[in-house]
């Protein structure tokens, strides 16, 4: 057993077995949810239909208050808490076994629903069944930074020991459901594409690399599903989406996790303007489904997610907040030097680093930043009005980028040229080889297409008011503890990446 196990609780497991009681029975019980029982209790003045009826609930004992011949304890399941009363006079045969009961145990309680003298809805137990004996005690309280580390590591405790945590993940589920419902209304088809890719592509990021023994070749955990989804547009599926688990071998911070969820979608006969409409609807509908309103509070500021969102051009922001034009190489390099941004020779990457430092903090939003320089958009179509710019936008709320969209490049020769430029740059965040299979797919003809990717984890942060991405991930990335090391010794990774 682990060092969390307590000898006195282990002794109770043995005592139960000696008395012929399995502390970990195979079968569960047919129970009513606690929330339904509470709703059916009504109040002492207006008793509900379940008062006086025999009901069964199953859940976790959250504490025991022993008054000698009477024990009170709340039972918790996923729908809430309800008090149970254990009386010696009702449980005379079982009463000696009460010594083997502890807070944290999973139990089934069958009894009559009523009220205490203080008017608290209570099940007066007639039968108590242990469903799983807890040999690790529940925490008295989680608090502070070091305990937050423990909470992330032991989410299986955090979900029932910390108030409001489970609500965050219920809201996360509602977010996905609302987005899925909207897309299906719009005629999109949900699909699944490979997680293991022979070539890392679809975004600029460092990939995780693995090796397939049978094929004797390296494969990459996907950094984005984009190129496979657009192959489906070539195949005539016309409107597709995927909630994709993506992997990027990068830093950990309040808004970055190496494993994360993105919604990506593509629509034939559409462009980035249509993708703005889709983005507004996805976010607005998710807010309404989760909170019943488009108004949210995040980091002590108020935002309204109701469409339409503001629109500003990348180049205008650059001129306003950097003070020079985006393609004035000498001036931009000078600003980068002032900001202490490393110059590795790639001007366009440096230019965008300057934009992120100077301009993105002003993107309070909700706002679309549009028309990015084509040099940093290898998969987007250039603007017919200004070929220096691409038909691309990013959506920002609270200064945080939530999504990215293009009018998709569908010229195979131009796509091959841009892929070749990426390879020649030898940037570790771009593919090391040209994806000729994708170029070949474009040679068969891809219709004009709009594409969009939205970071689900960040959207959930906004809708739940959570300050860190780790609060909206059930199991965030954590440094592995060495044997014998306590959770509290691990540091909280906060600002290792922007």
């Amino acid at each position: 057993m682990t060092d969390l196990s307590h000898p006195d609780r282990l002794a109770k497991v043995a005592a139960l077995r000696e008395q012929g009681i399995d502390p970990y029975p195979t079968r569960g019980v047919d129970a009513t949810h606690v929330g339904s029982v509470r709703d059916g209790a009504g109040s002492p003045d207006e008793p509900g239909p379940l008062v006086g009826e025999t009901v069964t609930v199953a859940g976790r004992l959250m504490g025991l208050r022993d008054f000698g011949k009477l024990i009170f304890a709340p039972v918790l399941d996923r729908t809430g808490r309800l008090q149970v009363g254990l009386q010696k006079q009702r449980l005379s045969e079982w009463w000696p076994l009460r010594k083997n009961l502890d807070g944290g145990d999973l139990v089934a309680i069958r009894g009559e629903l009523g009220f205490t003298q203080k008017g608290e809805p209570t099940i007066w137990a007639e039968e108590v069944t242990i469903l799983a004996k807890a040999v690790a005690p529940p925490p008295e309280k989680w608090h502070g930074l070091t305990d937050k580390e423990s909470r992330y590591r032991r989410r299986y405790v955090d979900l029932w020991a910390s108030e409001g945590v489970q609500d965050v993940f219920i809201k996360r589920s509602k977010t996905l459901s609302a987005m899925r419902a909207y897309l299906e209304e719009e005629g999109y088809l949900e699909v699944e594409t490979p997680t293991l890719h022979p070539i890392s592509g679809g975004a600029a990021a460092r990939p995780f690399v693995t090796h397939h023994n049978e094929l004797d070749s390296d494969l990459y955990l996907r950094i984005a599903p984009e190129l496979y989804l657009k192959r489906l547009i070539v195949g005539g599926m016309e409107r597709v989406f995927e909630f994709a688990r993506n992997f990027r071998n990068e830093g950990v911070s309040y808004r970055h996790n190496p494993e994360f969820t993105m919604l990506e979608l593509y629509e034939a006969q559409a462009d980035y303007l249509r993708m703005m409409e889709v983005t507004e609807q996805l976010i607005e509908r998710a807010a309404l489904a989760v909170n019943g309103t488009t108004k949210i509070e995040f980091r002590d500021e108020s935002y309204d997610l109701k469409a339409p969102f503001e629109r500003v051009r990348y180049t205008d922001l650059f001129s306003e907040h950097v003070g020079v034009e985006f393609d004035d190489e000498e001036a931009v390099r000078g600003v980068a030097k002032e900001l202490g941004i490393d110059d590795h020779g790639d001007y366009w990457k440096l230019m965008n680093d300057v934009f992120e430092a100077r301009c993105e903090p002003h993107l309070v939003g909700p706002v679309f930043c549009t028309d990015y320089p084509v040099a940093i958009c290898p998969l987007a179509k250039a603007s017919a009005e200004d070929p220096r710019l691409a038909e691309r936008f990013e959506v920002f709320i609270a200064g945080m980028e939530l999504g990215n969209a293009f009018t998709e490049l569908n010229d195979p020769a131009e796509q091959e040229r841009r892929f070749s430029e990426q390879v020649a740059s030898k940037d570790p965040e771009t593919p090391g080889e040209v994806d000729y299979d994708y170029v070949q797919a474009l040679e068969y003809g891809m219709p004009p297409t709009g594409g969009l990717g939205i970071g689900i984890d960040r959207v959930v942060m906004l809708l739940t008011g959570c300050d860190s991405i780790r609060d909206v991930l059930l199991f965030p990335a954590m440094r592995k503890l060495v044997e014998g090391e306590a959770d509290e010794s691990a540091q909280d990774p906060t600002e290792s990446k922007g």
Side-chain angles (χ1 to χ4, degrees), residues 333 335-347 349-351 353-354:
R333 289 190 186 278
V335 174
K337 187 174 182 180
E338 292 175 9
L339 294 172
I341 298 173
D342 292 335
D343 184 351
H344 298 291
D346 183 339
Y347 169 70
K349 183 178 187 308
L350 184 72
M351 181 273 314
D353 288 344
V354 171

Side-chain angles (χ1 to χ4, degrees), residues 141-158:
K141 188 177 181 181
W142 299 104
H143 59 85
L145 184 62
T146 55
D147 279 338
K148 215 170 188 185
E149 187 84 6
S150 298
R151 288 175 55 188
Y152 295 139
R153 290 188 187 278
R154 296 203 290 272
R155 184 70 88 186
Y156 42 85
V157 177
D158 190 33

